[in-house]
Amino acid sequence: MTTTTYEHLLVETKGGVQTITLNRPDHLNALNTPLAEGIQAAIHAAAKDDAVRVIVLTGAGRGFCAGLDLTNAPTTPFDEQSRHERLDPLGWVGRQALTITSCDKIVIAAINGAAAGAGLSLALAADIRLMAAGAKVTTGYLRRGLCPDGGMAYFLPRLVGASRAAELILSARDLPAEEAERIGLVSRVFPAEGFQEAVASYAADLASGPPVAQTLSKRLLIQSTDHDLPTMLRLELTGIRTCFTTEDVREGMLAFLQKRKPEFKGK
């Protein structure tokens, strides 16, 4: 097991699972610049580390992420911003979403407590969302006179449908865990007691899977949102041909014949 510490961020790797914990519990893990930059840096590092197969994003204390830390929100007038700030087409929230979706590892958002605004956008960018019973999420933006960012307007309609996404964004109401699971915003709800242990077990099971096939599968899922069926069929064929060149496919077939669990090495 290895542990790395960033400012406001804890990173621990065990058995192929890297847990990235937002660590500003006194602020419900609200995003400030060091935390936002740390999340991107940690995910970039994990993407390059073959020892990491699954990434879990979660929060310290009783919250997942309360969104942007409005006590330190940017107030610099436009004419006083740097050239980079003025010309940046994405901002950190945009880069954060792209960092997660472009990461070749499976990313799980373990929503242990409140997730609001940019905190919910962070979770929506993940491949899989798991939620603790009793936790609540909210789009939140309109409560503060803001519109969505961080990819919320992209991810949410694709997860729950256009009509539900509009209602959730425009009402900015709280959404309990049970409803979030029912409408497909999260995949599973686990009891609050023992939530982190349940997430760890779920992630460990995924981490035992074939890394090459997992990476190619994630890429296909991301690409499917922008391509037609003939294009996707070609991409799928290219991907599965790549899989057939791996040792993991041979191991998977041998394990099937021997009636045992395969041991995938990512080769």
Side-chain angles (χ1 to χ4, degrees):
M1 181 175 68
T2 60
T3 303
T4 305
T5 303
Y6 294 76
E7 185 176 6
H8 306 317
L9 199 68
L10 300 175
V11 179
E12 179 181 278
T13 304
K14 181 180 180 181
V17 177
Q18 182 168 108
T19 301
I20 300 175
T21 303
L22 283 61
N23 191 34
R24 299 186 72 214
D26 292 343
H27 301 272
L28 290 178
N29 303 312
L31 294 161
N32 59 9
T33 299
L35 177 53
E37 292 178 347
I39 292 170
Q40 293 178 61
I43 293 175
H44 276 304
K48 299 176 182 178
D49 187 352
D50 286 347
V52 176
R53 298 190 180 188
V54 175
I55 299 168
V56 175
L57 292 172
T58 194
R62 59 190 180 88
F64 175 75
C65 178
L68 179 65
D69 187 350
L70 295 177
T71 62
N72 294 295
T75 57
T76 305
F78 183 78
D79 59 2
E80 295 180 15
Q81 292 180 342
S82 69
R83 181 172 64 253
H84 170 74
E85 290 172 325
R86 294 197 307 272
L87 298 178
D88 184 357
L90 294 175
W92 67 260
V93 286
R95 287 191 298 274
Q96 177 174 274
L98 290 179
T99 296
I100 294 171
T101 57
S102 63
C103 176
D104 277 338
K105 310 300 172 69
I106 298 170
V107 180
I108 298 172
I111 306 172
N112 56 299
L120 178 56
S121 292
L122 174 66
L124 295 178
D127 303 302
I128 298 170
R129 281 152 298 283
L130 308 175
M131 195 168 176
K136 294 181 180 180
V137 301
T138 176
T139 61
Y141 290 99
L142 269 72
R143 294 181 182 180
R144 305 292 178 255
L146 299 169
C147 67
D149 66 359
M152 181 178 289
Y154 178 89
F155 295 117
L156 194 56
R158 287 166 169 79
L159 288 169
V160 303
S163 180
R164 277 203 177 101
E167 190 271 330
L168 292 173
I169 289 172
L170 297 176
S171 71
R173 66 179 177 86
D174 288 342
L175 186 68
E178 293 73 17
E179 184 180 359
E181 182 181 31
R182 178 172 57 80
I183 67 175
L185 192 147
V186 301
S187 299
R188 297 278 297 275
V189 172
F190 292 120
E193 185 176 352
F195 176 68
Q196 297 296 353
E197 291 78 8
V199 170
S201 176
Y202 184 98
D205 187 57
L206 287 179
S208 69
V212 174
Q214 288 174 335
T215 287
L216 294 177
S217 296
K218 174 169 179 174
R219 290 179 182 177
L220 286 169
L221 289 167
I222 297 297
Q223 291 166 324
S224 72
T225 61
D226 296 317
H227 294 304
D228 59 17
L229 177 58
T231 301
M232 287 307 304
L233 291 171
R234 289 191 291 271
L235 291 170
E236 286 179 343
L237 182 59
T238 298
I240 203 165
R241 281 173 171 167
T242 299
C243 289
F244 270 115
T245 68
T246 66
E247 294 179 14
D248 279 348
V249 164
R250 290 187 284 276
E251 165 63 11
M253 292 180 177
L254 184 61
F256 173 76
L257 293 173
Q258 296 176 346
K259 295 180 170 54
R260 60 173 175 80
K261 184 176 180 179
E263 297 182 10
F264 295 118
K265 305 297 184 182
K267 298 181 180 179

